[in-house]
Amino acid sequence: MSIEKLEFQAETKRLLDLVVNSIYTNKEIFLRELISNASDALDKLRIESLTNSELAGDDEPEIFIVPDAATKTITISDNGIGMTREEVISNIGTIAKSGTKDFLDKLREASGSAAQELIGQFGVGFYSAFIVAEEVELLTRKAGTDSGVKWTSDGAGEYSIEDFDKDTHGTTIVLHLKKDFCGDGEYNFTDAHEVERLVKKYSDFVRYPIKMNFETKGKDNEEPTIEIRTVNSMKPLWTRGKSEITRQEYDEFFKQQMHEWEAPLEVFHVKAEGTVEYTALLCIPKRAANNLYYSDYEPGLQLYSRHVFIMDKCKDFLPDYLRFVKGLVDSPDLPLNISREILQQSVEVKVIGKALEKNIQKQLGKMLKDERDKYEEFWREFGKSIKIGVYNSMFDTKLKDSLKDLLLFPTSHEGKLSTLAEYVGRMPDFQKNIYVAAGKDASAIEQLPQMELLRERGLEVIYLTDPVDEFAIQVLHEYADKHFQSITQENFELDDAESQKVKAEVEEIAKMHEDLLKDVKEAIGDAVKEVRLTSRLKSGAVCLVTGEGGPSLSMEKTFAAMNNPLFKATQILELNPNHAVFKKLESLHALGKDTQDFKDLCTTLYALSLLMEGVMPNNPADLANKVTDLLTR
Ligand code: ADP
């Protein structure tokens, strides 16, 4: 029998290193993770045997746990689907999840409690075994095959794999415990009663029996007898009345059932007995999965019929923008042998899905009203999803209406997040539109020259800092009969009397400088559509604005990043007639529009206006030279 030694994939190695060096404070959770995997493996076998009757064995599905003080091991076995050699290598030797690398990079930068918090968001599943074990053996045989494999590793970078004769299908995992976990330290995972307590605590709702051996001391000198007992209640949590369930029970349920590492932010337990009868147990996790917006994230709810598990990741209940919601639906109105195809057509599924979507929207609205801090926590993790929902509501006014009041944006008002209603409530009477500005982040927007005057007038601006914001705002179009108006677009103007007066004055000055403006435009070339004077600047010399209705500069950047450079913003350069630079332009222009000095000043001003918008000019070296030149003049 040959033993093959293989290396873990690089990312797995780094992750294992973290696990082994045990950033996890909670050492017990390995048990929950391994039981979860065993339960999933039993589900998979049951589903497969519906279509392949040869797989259905005589043995009842079960999970068996054997703590053993003599060998300092704890063994977790299931008679589920098992794995082939190739599956062991790809499932256990690599981590396929997108975002793992990003996560590890972030983790490397974090330290102390920040690192703790981060790692808590990232379930390490099977690898959690190495929190407590110095060596792990995994013996497995795929159902329907007759040869097994043995996988062994100490978690240090390598694992070995060899053929192994295993009597039954399924997987057995033997953890050779580190000495702290066999009774010397705080924990003793070789003690049956301690393990029983943990199974009850973390895995009581697992739908397969979790069995253990218990020794009963014989009377007097009789030999002790061994009794096998099922430790978990197996009673599905959601069949109990809401009032009987504690929040802690819900939390443990989601951790066990949905592979969540932290207690969820919010739990929904819905029972309905209308045209379609169903129970749903849903949660909003505390944190967004690293790969939530990647294509390998699999959204969807678990589906049960009469408490029997039918399938996982059922996408047909909730719309895509609610992809972060986890949980299950149990309905007696859905047949046990329903296929994914039939499910897509199912009227019952549509009815349930619509009701759940409404319910989630309602609960979110309530959270926003009654528990603002919690809602903002939700928003930081999943706000993007709601904005994507608004964007997707382009042809669905009803959806738009139900989501618009769930939106939050950072604004220039005390740096807080605001709803649109709150913003509108603070608008002065003369302000007709809702002012918005797009940029990389709040501080980039605050530094836009266009902001100065607004700040001075005490006018509030909504910051669009996420690329999806602008798309969502475009789809919304208006709120409370007020249009969204970008402060960096050509047609922006302030509505108060003072501003209107200044505007008229600037128009007068512009009339007198038509030639100059034409020549500045000519010196810059086709990059800008127009050069004009503005009343929107105070101390700034220039700013760049974009054409009405077209994309903004930050939207253009988003498109460029998606390799779609066709989406170009129309650029208009605006000059402040009250700035010294304008006087300088005038005097250089008077010496001739073709002089190098005049041309240089024009192109430099344009390049600077790009920089202020966070856009790299075409020729940064040229700009640097010109600025250096100016500085030394
Ligand atoms: P996750 O469960 O989140 O996918 P794990 O690291 O816990 O991540 O497990 C990786 C994969 O290994 C699982 O998706 C599954 O395919 C396989 N696996 C783990 N434990 C078992 C088991 N007891 N039986 C069969 N397959 C298993």
Coordinates of all heavy atoms in Angstrom, one line a residue, residues 37-38 41 44 78 81-83 91-92 124-126 171 259, ligand 1:
N37 N -20.6 18.7 9.5 CA -20.1 18.1 8.3 C -20.7 16.7 8.2 O -21.1 16.2 7.1 CB -18.6 18.0 8.3 CG -17.9 19.3 7.9 OD1 -18.6 20.2 7.4 ND2 -16.6 19.4 8.0
A38 N -20.7 16.0 9.3 CA -21.3 14.6 9.3 C -22.7 14.6 8.9 O -23.2 13.8 8.1 CB -21.1 14.0 10.7
A41 N -23.1 15.2 5.3 CA -22.8 14.0 4.6 C -24.0 13.0 4.6 O -24.2 12.3 3.6 CB -21.5 13.3 5.2
K44 N -26.5 14.3 2.2 CA -26.1 14.0 0.8 C -26.4 12.6 0.4 O -26.9 12.3 -0.7 CB -24.6 14.3 0.6 CG -24.4 15.8 0.5 CD -22.9 16.1 0.2 CE -22.6 17.5 0.5 NZ -21.2 17.7 0.9
D78 N -19.5 9.0 10.8 CA -20.9 9.1 10.2 C -20.9 8.0 9.2 O -19.9 7.6 8.6 CB -21.1 10.5 9.6 CG -20.2 10.8 8.4 OD1 -20.4 10.2 7.4 OD2 -19.3 11.6 8.6
I81 N -22.2 10.0 3.0 CA -21.8 9.8 1.6 C -20.4 9.4 1.5 O -20.0 8.7 0.6 CB -22.2 11.1 0.8 CG1 -21.9 10.9 -0.7 CG2 -21.3 12.3 1.3 CD1 -23.1 10.3 -1.4
G82 N -19.5 9.9 2.4 CA -18.1 9.6 2.3 C -17.4 10.3 1.2 O -18.1 11.1 0.5
M83 N -16.1 10.1 1.0 CA -15.4 10.8 -0.1 C -14.5 9.8 -0.8 O -14.0 8.9 -0.2 CB -14.5 11.9 0.5 CG -15.3 13.1 0.9 SD -14.2 14.4 1.7 CE -14.2 13.9 3.4
N91 N -11.3 18.5 -1.3 CA -12.2 19.1 -0.3 C -11.3 19.5 1.0 O -11.6 20.5 1.6 CB -13.3 18.2 0.2 CG -14.3 17.9 -0.9 OD1 -14.4 18.7 -1.8 ND2 -15.1 16.9 -0.7
I92 N -10.4 18.6 1.3 CA -9.7 18.8 2.6 C -8.3 19.5 2.4 O -7.8 20.1 3.3 CB -9.6 17.4 3.3 CG1 -10.9 16.7 3.4 CG2 -8.9 17.6 4.6 CD1 -11.9 17.4 4.4
V124 N -13.7 28.0 9.6 CA -12.7 27.1 9.1 C -13.1 25.7 9.0 O -12.3 24.8 8.6 CB -11.3 27.3 9.9 CG1 -10.7 28.6 9.6 CG2 -11.6 27.0 11.3
G125 N -14.3 25.4 9.3 CA -14.9 24.0 9.1 C -14.0 22.9 9.6 O -13.6 22.9 10.8
F126 N -13.7 22.0 8.7 CA -12.9 20.8 9.1 C -11.6 21.2 9.8 O -11.2 20.5 10.8 CB -12.6 20.0 7.8 CG -11.7 18.9 8.1 CD1 -12.2 17.7 8.6 CD2 -10.4 19.0 7.7 CE1 -11.3 16.6 8.9 CE2 -9.5 17.9 8.0 CZ -10.0 16.7 8.5
T171 N -17.6 8.5 6.9 CA -16.3 9.1 7.3 C -16.1 8.9 8.8 O -17.0 9.1 9.6 CB -16.3 10.6 6.9 OG1 -16.6 10.7 5.5 CG2 -15.0 11.2 7.2
H259 N -23.8 26.9 9.5 CA -22.3 27.1 9.6 C -22.0 28.6 9.9 O -21.1 29.1 9.3 CB -21.7 26.7 8.3 CG -21.8 25.3 8.0 ND1 -20.8 24.3 8.2 CD2 -22.8 24.6 7.4 CE1 -21.3 23.1 7.9 NE2 -22.5 23.2 7.4
Ligands
ADP1 P1 -17.5 23.3 4.5 O1 -18.2 22.3 5.3 O2 -17.8 24.8 4.9 O3 -17.7 23.1 3.0 P2 -15.2 22.0 5.5 O4 -13.7 22.4 5.6 O5 -15.8 21.8 6.9 O6 -16.0 23.2 4.8 O7 -15.3 20.8 4.6 C1 -14.9 20.8 3.3 C2 -15.6 19.7 2.5 O8 -15.1 18.4 2.9 C3 -17.1 19.7 2.7 O9 -17.7 20.6 1.9 C4 -17.4 18.3 2.3 O10 -17.5 18.2 0.9 C5 -16.1 17.5 2.7 N1 -16.4 16.8 4.0 C6 -16.0 17.3 5.2 N2 -16.4 16.4 6.2 C7 -17.1 15.4 5.6 C8 -17.7 14.2 6.0 N3 -17.8 13.9 7.3 N4 -18.2 13.4 5.0 C9 -18.1 13.7 3.7 N5 -17.6 14.8 3.3 C10 -17.0 15.7 4.2

